[in-house]
Amino acid sequence: MDEKKVKEAIEDFKELSIQMRERGFSGASKHCDLAIEALEKQLAIKPKEVVGGIYREFYECKNCGSEIEPLDIYEDYCKWCGQRLDWTES
């Protein structure tokens, strides 16, 4: 998914959500907020590297805080919340 298009869609839904809320359509506004939440998960974020204990390194999803196990580093998404992950080196 094109990151630029996703960011544009998020901004459009934010504007639409505000307009719907101002006009009294709270249900439609909530649906826009749900779409925003889903689209934001499509924007890849780097997991947090955590060092805990002797010889124990793991990663944590910055969105939900769940532990990402060593075998999960080959996955593009958090298996707990669906957040897209960015495993590229910085």
Side-chain angles (χ1 to χ4, degrees):
M1 200 174 276
D2 183 2
E3 188 173 317
K4 183 179 177 184
K5 289 181 180 179
V6 171
K7 288 180 178 181
E8 289 174 1
I10 290 169
E11 290 307 312
D12 289 346
F13 272 114
K14 284 181 179 179
E15 284 183 38
L16 184 59
S17 178
I18 291 168
Q19 291 173 6
M20 293 293 109
R21 198 174 302 113
E22 288 173 350
R23 294 184 178 146
F25 298 108
S26 62
S29 177
K30 288 178 185 178
H31 292 148
C32 288
D33 294 342
L34 184 63
I36 292 167
E37 184 180 331
L39 284 167
E40 286 176 339
K41 287 186 178 184
Q42 296 304 309
L43 298 173
I45 60 172
K46 292 195 175 296
K48 178 182 175 185
E49 186 173 2
V50 179
V51 178
I54 301 173
Y55 307 112
R56 176 88 160 81
E57 289 185 18
F58 63 93
Y59 292 88
E60 184 177 282
C61 176
K62 289 182 183 176
N63 186 54
C64 69
S66 295
E67 181 178 334
I68 300 170
E69 298 175 16
L71 293 177
D72 295 334
I73 66 169
Y74 300 105
E75 300 296 325
D76 291 335
Y77 294 88
C78 172
K79 68 181 178 182
W80 304 110
C81 72
Q83 174 65 53
R84 186 172 178 198
L85 301 171
D86 176 4
W87 292 105
T88 61
E89 302 264 339
S90 310

